[in-house]
Amino acid sequence: MIKLTEKDMERLQDESCNILIPETMRSLLVGFPDEVVFPFSINAMNCVNIKSISARNRICGSLTLRGCTSLTTLGDGLFVGESLDVTGCVALTSIPNSLREIKRDLLLSGCLSMRDLPEGLKVKSNFYANDCPQLEVLPKGLEVGLLMTIRNCERIAAIPDHVRVGRDLIADRCPNLKSISGDLIVGGKASFKSCHSLQDIPATINVKSLCLDDCTNIRFLPAGLNIPDNLSLRDTKFQDFPRNLTVGGLIDISGCQWVTSFPDDFNFTGRILIAENCQNLIELPKSMPNLMNMALDGCTSLTHLPEGLNVYMLSLKGCTGLKALPRDLRVSRSVDLRGCEGISIPQEFIDAHEGYARILFPKTYDILPAVKAENAPTL
């Protein structure tokens, strides 16, 4: 077994003056000198016999301990100037208070024994904590400059107060997540996919996009919820849109079997509506914005489309309850009617779209004769 001296570390420096432990040495290395002030980075990946890093070490660059499966302790006093990577350190139980401010990335996915993070943790770039089954509590006031992921963290029950994420927060498949603080701020997408204990979303959260796919206890959203970009509720038990819901981008409610209609005050200013396989959806909002895409495949209870609908691409595959297209329907690019057997298609619609919009017809359909304009001269 080998414990490096300061001279050993100097000899291991590469052209950039960083230390990379050679592969032939990794299984033999048990530690570094107790008092090292190193101006660059240390990469000790897969050094499986290292058990601790002294509190008196000071690494001004990044410290990589990925795959150090015997590592149990980072001394409280250890300084790391840039990124800390302890991915796969299965015996490590905590991050010390001296590392509450990480100037770049904090990577601790696969730390199977990780329980404690420092209060007031601030990570300037990315924070990855996937697959940490013993981690129960996120620190209040957690700040992440870019991306934060906590997938498959079985014991996390809450997103606490004052969490700030500059870009995206991904908290998918956290089965015991029950609450989200109302002051959560996420600069991009907040995703809570397959969080089956989650029931309520605060109206006051500040996120750009929200994904609640497969959150099987989500039935309602709060009145006044404002999502500037995308809202996805695929395969939930979502029942009804609330008053004053505002969505500026995409809405996806595919597989929501409990949705039957949209409210009169539905404030959808976005460009894409996806409601595939909503088998109990009876009708769409009476007033719809000009849409880029609308996908209603498999909505077998839908009997009609709203008047004045103007859409770039429209997919109605398998809408077996749809009896006729509106005469004033406008489609810029394509409409897919496959599986809408026996539907009536106005001659005006065919004439208006011939040559520039693709129509995918069902096997059987009827053509409704064009309606003559009122008071039009006759021959």
Side-chain angles (χ1 to χ4, degrees), residues 150 153-154 156-160 169-182 184 190-203 205 207 210-222 225 231-238:
I150 53 170
C153 290
E154 299 172 7
I156 288 181
I159 303 297
L169 165 62
I170 310 298
D172 298 342
R173 299 183 298 278
C174 293
N176 289 301
L177 181 64
K178 296 179 180 178
S179 66
I180 298 172
S181 173
L184 173 67
S191 178
F192 303 100
K193 187 182 299 183
S194 300
C195 292
H196 298 305
S197 297
L198 188 62
Q199 296 183 11
D200 300 312
I201 301 297
I205 62 171
V207 302
L210 180 62
C211 177
L212 299 169
D213 294 353
D214 193 38
C215 290
T216 50
N217 272 304
I218 291 289
R219 288 173 169 80
F220 302 97
L221 294 176
L225 181 64
L231 172 64
S232 186
L233 294 155
R234 295 177 67 96
D235 300 316
T236 66
K237 294 180 181 178
F238 180 68

Side-chain angles (χ1 to χ4, degrees), residues 265-282:
D265 62 351
F266 184 59
N267 187 14
F268 179 41
T269 59
R271 302 299 306 278
I272 300 175
L273 174 63
I274 303 175
E276 297 174 344
N277 299 311
C278 293
Q279 296 179 0
N280 291 303
L281 181 64
I282 298 171

Side-chain angles (χ1 to χ4, degrees), residues 29-250:
L29 185 64
V30 296
F32 304 125
D34 290 339
E35 296 187 19
V36 170
V37 178
F38 192 75
F40 300 102
S41 297
I42 298 177
N43 186 336
M45 182 171 62
N46 296 325
C47 293
V48 295
N49 285 301
I50 291 180
K51 295 183 178 180
S52 64
I53 303 295
S54 171
R56 290 172 291 181
N57 287 340
R58 185 177 181 87
I59 295 93
C60 298
S62 297
L63 176 60
T64 299
L65 299 165
R66 179 184 293 248
C68 294
T69 52
S70 297
L71 182 70
T72 60
T73 306
L74 298 174
D76 193 1
L78 172 68
F79 174 84
V80 177
E82 295 184 359
S83 297
L84 174 65
D85 184 353
V86 291
T87 302
C89 294
V90 296
L92 186 65
T93 60
S94 64
I95 301 297
N97 288 329
S98 61
L99 297 176
R100 65 164 53 94
E101 293 192 17
I102 302 293
K103 299 302 182 183
R104 289 182 60 188
D105 301 328
L106 176 59
L107 311 176
L108 46 89
S109 295
C111 290
L112 304 183
S113 302
M114 181 64 62
R115 294 187 179 90
D116 299 312
L117 299 174
E119 287 296 321
L121 177 63
K122 293 177 175 57
V123 181
K124 192 167 184 179
S125 294
N126 301 306
F127 174 43
Y128 296 161
N130 304 318
D131 302 296
C132 294
Q134 300 301 317
L135 186 62
E136 295 187 18
V137 179
L138 295 172
K140 293 181 180 179
L142 173 62
E143 294 183 12
V144 178
L146 294 176
L147 175 64
M148 172 179 168
T149 70
I150 53 170
R151 297 184 183 95
N152 301 316
C153 290
E154 299 172 7
R155 296 194 178 188
I156 288 181
I159 303 297
D161 296 340
H162 312 307
V163 171
R164 306 288 183 264
V165 181
R167 196 173 72 189
D168 296 341
L169 165 62
I170 310 298
D172 298 342
R173 299 183 298 278
C174 293
N176 289 301
L177 181 64
K178 296 179 180 178
S179 66
I180 298 172
S181 173
D183 67 359
L184 173 67
I185 296 178
V186 178
K189 176 181 180 179
S191 178
F192 303 100
K193 187 182 299 183
S194 300
C195 292
H196 298 305
S197 297
L198 188 62
Q199 296 183 11
D200 300 312
I201 301 297
T204 53
I205 62 171
N206 186 338
V207 302
K208 189 174 182 181
S209 294
L210 180 62
C211 177
L212 299 169
D213 294 353
D214 193 38
C215 290
T216 50
N217 272 304
I218 291 289
R219 288 173 169 80
F220 302 97
L221 294 176
L225 181 64
N226 183 6
I227 306 297
D229 204 341
N230 301 330
L231 172 64
S232 186
L233 294 155
R234 295 177 67 96
D235 300 316
T236 66
K237 294 180 181 178
F238 180 68
Q239 297 181 13
D240 195 11
F241 289 95
R243 293 178 295 104
N244 301 322
L245 171 68
T246 301
V247 179
L250 170 152

